[in-house]
Every structure is written in structure tokens, then in C-alpha cells.
């Protein structure tokens, strides 16, 4: 009985036990556990437990989802279409090594005291300059669009 009373007080506050203070207890948050008395500490088993909800997504439309066999067949077809496989493997391995090396460098820079905050300020300053230079005024936006189109033509090889 004492444990149930302490649990009720912990869940609902003093208003559940003392109806005269119910108005004051209702004003307080019911989500936070309360102490049963000033001298009794709140125990872990007195706290309310939240139930864990599990949601599972389902779809009736299975026409767009590819089965495992179709996926394997598609990947095999793409692999067979590659003419220079050693070069592809070399570039893929180089990309993986570059990604790993980048994470190592970023981790090392992030561990240096004050350097991440300084780089963050540099990034904010450059973002502010870019917005002022290219995005704030109509003429500068047109200039940026023409620069992007010129770059696209250079990359595509049409210029």
C-alpha cells in the first residue's frame, strides 16, 4: 500500500493524495515524477515508464519494388557493360581510400582545440560574402547564372 501510494504521488503529484492541493498539482507537469516527501529521494522504480511503440511500414503496391533477382540481374548487366574493368576498380578503390582519408583528416582537425570553431566562423563569413556578392542583387544573380552556364559548357565540352 505504501509503495502504491508513493508511486501515485510520484506520478500525479501531491494532488492525488491531498485533494486540497489538487489545483496546484494540476498546474505542474504530470510528466515529471514528484517526490513523495521532502526527505525521501525519488527512486528509479518510482518514475513512470513510457511504453515503446513499434511501427511497421507496409505498402500494397509491389509493382515498383524490384525483387532481389532483378536487382542482381541489373547489376550483372551493368558490370558486363563496363569495358575497362581494371580502371573502374582502380577508381572505385581510390574513391573508397579518399573517403576514408577524408574522415581521418576531419576527425584530426575536429580534435584540435578551437580549430573547429574558427573554421565555422570562416565558413559563416564566406557564406555571408557569397550571399552579398551573388544572391542579394538582381544583376549579380544574373552574373552568377551566366557563370554557371559557362562552367556547364566547359565541362560538357561544347565551348
Amino acid at each position: 500500500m505504501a509503495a502504491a501510494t508513493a508511486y501515485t504521488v510520484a506520478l500525479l503529484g501531491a494532488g492525488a493524495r491531498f485533494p486540497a492541493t489538487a489545483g496546484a498539482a494540476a498546474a505542474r507537469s504530470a510528466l515529471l515524477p514528484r517526490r513523495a516527501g521532502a526527505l525521501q529521494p525519488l527512486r528509479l522504480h518510482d518514475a513512470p515508464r513510457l511504453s515503446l511503440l513499434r511501427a511497421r511500414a507496409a505498402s500494397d503496391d509491389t509493382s515498383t519494388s524490384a525483387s532481389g533477382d532483378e536487382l542482381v540481374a541489373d547489376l550483372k548487366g551493368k558490370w558486363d557493360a563496363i569495358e575497362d574493368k581494371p580502371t573502374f576498380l582502380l577508381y572505385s578503390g581510390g574513391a573508397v581510400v579518399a573517403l576514408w582519408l577524408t574522415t581521418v583528416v576531419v576527425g584530426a582537425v575536429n580534435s584540435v582545440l578551437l580549430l573547429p570553431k574558427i573554421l565555422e566562423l570562416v565558413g559563416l563569413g564566406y557564406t555571408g560574402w557569397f550571399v552579398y556578392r551573388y544572391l542579394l542583387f538582381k544583376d549579380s544573380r544574373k552574373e552568377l547564372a551566366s557563370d554557371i552556364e559557362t562552367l556547364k559548357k566547359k565541362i560538357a565540352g561544347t565551348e
Side-chain angles (χ1 to χ4, degrees):
M1 172 85 176
T5 305
Y7 184 73
T8 304
V9 170
L11 276 177
L12 302 175
R17 200 160 127 188
F18 305 109
T21 61
R28 286 183 268 160
S29 173
L31 296 177
L32 298 175
R34 306 281 191 258
R35 292 186 188 193
L39 299 177
Q40 290 181 336
L42 179 64
R43 292 178 301 275
L44 184 60
H45 67 275
D46 290 339
R49 295 188 182 155
L50 299 175
S51 64
L52 298 175
L53 299 176
R54 292 186 185 186
R56 191 177 296 181
S59 174
D60 293 338
D61 185 22
T62 59
S63 63
T64 59
S65 65
S67 68
D69 296 334
E70 292 174 3
L71 183 64
V72 169
D74 186 40
L75 287 175
K76 187 175 181 183
K78 288 184 180 184
W79 177 253
D80 291 338
I82 297 174
E83 294 177 9
D84 196 9
K85 290 182 175 92
T87 305
F88 175 77
L89 290 175
L90 184 66
Y91 283 148
S92 299
V96 169
V97 168
L99 182 64
W100 171 77
L101 189 62
T102 303
T103 58
V104 168
V105 168
V106 168
V109 166
N110 202 21
S111 66
V112 175
L113 188 64
L114 292 180
L115 192 57
K117 294 296 180 185
I118 291 171
L119 291 176
E120 188 175 335
L121 286 175
V122 168
L124 284 172
Y126 181 77
T127 302
W129 173 83
F130 185 84
V131 166
Y132 177 75
R133 171 68 178 90
Y134 289 111
L135 301 178
L136 200 57
F137 304 107
K138 186 176 182 177
D139 295 337
S140 60
R141 285 193 298 267
K142 287 182 181 179
E143 178 187 348
L144 178 63
S146 68
D147 288 345
I148 291 173
E149 289 300 321
T150 304
L151 183 62
K152 282 182 187 178
K153 288 179 183 177
K154 282 183 182 178
I155 290 173
T158 58
E159 186 176 294

